[in-house]
Amino acid sequence: MGAYAESYESWKSDPEAFWMDIAGNIDWVDQPSRAFHPDKGVYGSWFADATCNTCYNAVDRHVSGGRADQAAIIYDSPITGRHRSITYRELLKDVVALAAVLQERGVAKGDRVIIYMPMVPEAAVAMLACARLGAVHSVVFGGFAAAELATRIDDCEPKCVISASCGIEPGRVIAYKPLLDEAIDISAKKPASTIILQREQQPCDLISGRDFDYAAETAKHIEAGTGVDCVEVAATDPLYILYTSGTTGQPKGVVRDNGGHMVALQWTMKSVYDVEPGEVYWAASDVGWVVGHSYIVYAPLLNGNTTILFEGKPVGTPDAGTFWRVISEHKVVTLFTAPTAFRAIKKEDPQGLLAGDYDLSHFRMLYLAGERADPDTIHWAERVLGVPVIDHWWQTESGWTIAGNPVGIEMLPVKYGSPTVAMPGYDIRIVNDEGEVLPAGELGNVVVKLPLPPGCLPSLWKAEERFKSAYLQEFPGYYQTADAGIMDEDGYLFIMARTDDIINVAGHRLSTGGMEEVIAAHPDVAECAVIGIADPLKGQLPAGFLILNKGVDRPVSDIQAEVVKLVREKIGPVAAFKIAVPVERLPKTRSGKILRSTMQKVIDGQDFKVPATIDDPAILDEIKANWEEFAG
Ligand code: COA
Ligand code: AMP
């Protein structure tokens, strides 16, 4: 038996012993007496009798344990030309100071704090300061518009919002403060205060009595030497809420707890990523996404690594060699990013010549996730970098790898197009719509047998019924991933598509239902369907098909432009919504359900079966013709 099979079997035969052993890597306040408590929580609960503090494990223990002068965070910002290395000692000082500011603003254990920030180190400091106080952070990605931010404010009711005056995108500065002000204006549950990081690229006005200056307030506490102890929390207390797209415009608040999260994440640094404490690890994502939470901030810091916080793009900041410069300059051993980043680099530098300008000799491994890794991109990356490329599959809900190649345990042979095998903790099955387990090689719903392992979501924020109905109801006894896939006879998984209305654009998870809600509100739109169509760079792009109201006599091009603008204003630029195709009719079932997945296959030129329930098959040809006319 290989080391992976041994590890998987040891988990399966005695999960309690497996997780208790790993839990020994965490510094608890009160030790867990056991790992799993089947009677607590929706499907059981992890380390329910233990107490701990995540900030202590990510920062304090490294300062006292010999890593005080090691870089904890390297901030590399080609977009501003800034570099900053922050040691664990400095990180602790910054976190304590911000925790003191939050305390002064009345933030205490259990209170929520929204963090709406660009990729600056203060975003990570803010997360850790909340963790230190036992407050629950909710990071909102900077590419979301005011209305999306307001929805999250109303759902989690933060006492305070930490933000910045601006973010910087290639060629333009994004003023964050007007977005924040608008969000607070339209939200029903207004935060009592905000803490604003002024950036020199575009400072903003502060509202007296509500807005506080990040630098001035933290400086006050650093000067005064204010101490803030780590607050003891239950392992099951929430560390954060991360909103992710559901099938409607109302996002799902994925909850992460403290104890199980630490246990699982720290373990993955060696087992999944084969990284030793002290090494430099880089996840090129954004703190607004789960990859940023888990692998820019928490896992590398829990493990005593140096993490790179990169404010830039794979191309254009300044060129397609930026990733190689960062790897070379900071001696990065492992990079984790989304395939779309590599497709962007490949498009600019097809031969990968820029990699030749840098010393990448210490670089060991590239990890890809967030969307399907197409074999072309993998082969290209292998050739240019000369290292193994590891695909792995997970979700916001899981927080860490569900299926991957456990390189730190045993590197398994790569099968292109497969993120490899189930990690210990996950019992993955492929089932048909009736919930029957399918034989190897057959396509079906990918589900995970309950309980989910430590680190996975225990529930949705204040929405236990939605948690049950969205994830646990359809296949009793299993967690529904909403991905469709195949498992081969060697246990290798192949993820093929989502089974819901979620699309994946440049590694960003978006709800087509959410976009439809926005478009349908346009006064000239009678009905619409948004689908994800194939795109060679971003994987998928949202495309809207609109039926206009009868009698509309304005130029259709005006309406198309207004719809595009509306989605950008209401959801944000991250939606990347630029395709609005006028149509006469939409293909539907006889019961009136729009056949979105058939439409997608028609547009992408894939094989499809005309659904037996279709009302009028001729509409599929019409849609294809409408699309061809639009695309020219
Ligand atoms: N704040 C404000 N606007 C933002 C933003 C932010 N934090 N992030 C993105 N946007 C904007 C972009 O500027 C773009 O605006 P535009 O329509 O005016 O051009 C829009 O949102 C769409 O962004 P994106 O889909 O990311 O496209 P892009 O052309 O800017 O970049 C890639 C494409 C592939 C280079 C980029 O998506 C990328 O690096 N992705 C890989 C890494 C990653 O983030 N993965 C996510 C999870 S692992
Ligand atoms: P998110 O919650 O944003 O991380 O998105 C999770 C979804 O992205 C999954 O449910 C999949 O549909 C998709 N995804 C993530 N990683 C992979 C992968 N390695 N291969 C295929 N799809 C992936």
Side-chain angles (χ1 to χ4, degrees):
M1 206 192 272
Y4 158 72
E6 229 170 74
S7 172
Y8 193 81
E9 270 320 303
S10 87
W11 160 70
K12 219 166 172 193
S13 59
D14 192 351
E16 187 64 26
F18 182 88
W19 290 117
M20 280 304 276
D21 180 39
I22 293 168
N25 297 328
I26 296 306
D27 286 3
W28 304 92
V29 179
D30 276 348
Q31 294 283 334
S33 70
R34 51 198 262 234
F36 191 59
H37 297 250
D39 304 330
K40 297 208 160 87
V42 179
Y43 59 84
S45 198
W46 293 98
F47 308 108
D49 62 1
T51 63
C52 56
N53 183 281
T54 295
C55 179
Y56 178 82
N57 279 275
V59 187
D60 300 56
R61 68 165 171 170
H62 300 310
V63 175
S64 53
R67 296 190 185 281
D69 297 318
Q70 179 196 311
I73 298 176
I74 294 176
Y75 168 56
D76 185 309
S77 171
I79 209 153
T80 61
R82 289 283 157 88
H83 280 211
R84 190 178 150 205
S85 179
I86 304 165
T87 63
Y88 273 99
R89 191 198 311 279
E90 290 163 338
L91 179 61
L92 179 59
K93 185 183 78 188
D94 290 351
V95 168
V96 168
L98 186 61
V101 177
L102 286 169
Q103 253 182 349
E104 213 179 337
R105 303 270 56 87
V107 173
K109 179 171 161 176
D111 289 338
R112 274 80 59 209
V113 173
I114 278 192
I115 300 172
Y116 182 57
M117 291 186 107
M119 281 290 287
V120 289
E122 288 81 359
V125 169
M127 292 163 78
L128 293 162
C130 292
R132 188 169 197 86
L133 296 174
V136 182
H137 63 69
S138 185
V139 182
V140 179
F141 178 62
F144 282 120
E148 289 285 325
L149 179 56
T151 305
R152 288 153 174 81
I153 290 176
D154 279 340
D155 196 65
C156 77
E157 303 174 49
K159 198 167 241 178
C160 180
V161 177
I162 306 176
S163 187
S165 58
C166 66
I168 300 135
E169 283 292 290
R172 69 183 203 278
V173 173
I174 319 257
Y176 274 35
K177 187 59 173 16
L179 297 172
L180 173 60
D181 286 345
E182 189 189 337
I184 294 177
D185 262 0
I186 58 179
S187 61
K189 312 279 173 55
K190 303 194 189 309
S193 63
T194 78
I195 300 167
I196 308 290
L197 177 76
Q198 294 280 18
R199 301 189 78 190
E200 63 184 24
Q201 291 79 6
Q202 188 165 337
C204 62
D205 291 335
L206 300 182
I207 298 172
S208 170
R210 189 200 74 181
D211 300 336
F212 294 83
D213 181 87
Y214 187 112
E217 296 296 310
T218 49
K220 217 171 66 186
H221 286 287
I222 289 175
E223 205 168 299
T226 316
V228 178
D229 290 337
C230 290
V231 172
E232 179 177 351
V233 297
T236 50
D237 280 343
L239 169 68
Y240 70 74
I241 306 163
L242 178 56
Y243 288 91
T244 190
S245 301
T247 47
T248 66
Q250 178 67 32
K252 295 170 176 167
V254 167
V255 173
R256 196 82 59 210
D257 68 11
N258 277 272
H261 177 243
M262 285 197 281
V263 170
L265 257 59
Q266 202 254 345
W267 174 79
T268 62
M269 288 306 288
K270 174 67 189 163
S271 307
V272 177
Y273 300 100
D274 197 25
V275 165
E276 300 294 342
E279 293 189 311
V280 184
Y281 178 89
W282 178 22
S285 177
D286 188 287
V287 286
W289 307 115
V290 71
V291 175
H293 280 65
S294 291
Y295 291 104
I296 295 174
V297 181
Y298 286 113
L301 295 180
L302 288 166
N303 199 46
N305 290 106
T306 299
T307 183
I308 305 277
L309 201 136
F310 173 76
E311 188 183 28
K313 302 270 174 176
V315 293
T317 59
D319 58 28
T322 298
F323 272 25
W324 324 142
R325 175 192 62 76
V326 172
I327 291 172
S328 157
E329 207 168 299
H330 306 302
K331 303 239 172 320
V332 171
V333 298
T334 296
L335 168 64
F336 171 4
T337 191
T340 188
F342 269 73
R343 290 197 296 267
I345 296 170
K346 183 169 136 212
K347 194 170 160 209
E348 292 280 309
D349 179 18
Q351 304 305 320
L353 298 176
L354 290 171
D357 295 347
Y358 299 96
D359 173 12
L360 305 177
S361 52
H362 48 274
F363 185 56
R364 294 201 297 260
M365 211 77 76
L366 170 67
Y367 286 78
L368 298 175
E371 55 171 330
R372 197 181 126 75
D374 51 292
D376 265 5
T377 303
I378 297 185
H379 290 308
W380 185 86
E382 280 174 340
R383 185 177 62 71
V384 169
L385 296 173
V387 298
V389 178
I390 307 292
D391 182 14
H392 58 323
W393 167 69
W394 50 292
Q395 317 181 300
T396 304
E397 289 85 346
S398 69
W400 60 282
T401 308
I402 307 175
N405 196 331
V407 177
I409 300 173
E410 176 192 5
M411 178 144 168
L412 299 174
V414 170
K415 291 192 190 183
Y416 293 99
S418 166
T420 319
V421 294
M423 290 299 92
Y426 294 96
D427 184 353
I428 302 176
R429 311 279 173 89
I430 310 292
V431 299
N432 62 16
D433 289 347
E434 287 67 50
E436 293 152 358
V437 176
L438 293 171
E442 281 191 30
L443 179 67
N445 301 286
V446 186
V447 298
V448 179
K449 194 164 184 296
L450 292 172
L452 291 170
C456 291
L457 81 171
S459 190
L460 294 174
W461 180 252
K462 287 194 313 194
E464 196 168 296
E465 284 315 310
R466 189 177 182 193
F467 173 62
K468 288 182 192 162
S469 64
Y471 298 104
L472 310 182
Q473 208 159 286
E474 193 157 342
F475 303 108
Y478 295 98
Y479 163 83
Q480 178 183 8
T481 67
D483 278 312
I486 293 167
M487 192 180 278
D488 74 8
E489 47 298 323
D490 300 324
Y492 278 59
L493 194 69
F494 292 79
I495 299 294
M496 309 309 284
R498 290 283 301 193
T499 57
D500 55 12
D501 294 330
I502 300 289
I503 59 170
N504 202 311
V505 179
H508 308 142
R509 174 168 158 179
L510 299 168
S511 160
T512 55
M515 290 186 227
E516 286 175 5
E517 284 173 28
V518 170
I519 297 168
H522 187 287
D524 293 333
V525 174
E527 203 178 353
C528 71
V530 175
I531 57 171
I533 59 170
D535 178 71
L537 176 65
K538 296 192 179 183
Q540 284 184 304
L541 277 182
F545 292 80
L546 331 170
I547 303 178
L548 302 185
N549 283 324
K550 287 233 158 33
V552 170
D553 57 359
R554 306 168 52 217
V556 173
S557 58
D558 285 3
I559 299 168
Q560 287 170 297
E562 285 162 16
V563 160
V564 166
K565 189 160 165 268
L566 202 59
V567 175
R568 195 174 173 96
E569 276 168 11
K570 295 285 180 203
I571 297 179
V574 67
F577 181 83
K578 291 178 182 157
I579 301 170
V581 186
V583 296
E584 290 295 320
R585 304 189 291 169
L586 289 166
K588 292 185 183 169
T589 62
R590 281 188 283 276
S591 60
K593 196 172 174 301
I594 299 174
L595 291 160
R596 292 180 182 77
S597 87
T598 313
M599 283 174 71
Q600 175 262 315
K601 291 191 175 82
V602 168
I603 304 294
D604 286 346
Q606 293 171 359
D607 291 342
F608 67 96
K609 266 205 267 171
V610 177
T613 54
I614 194 165
D615 188 25
D616 180 356
I619 301 178
L620 294 176
D621 296 329
E622 279 175 34
I623 289 283
K624 179 89 176 160
N626 292 141
W627 167 252
E628 281 167 357
E629 191 183 332
F630 175 89

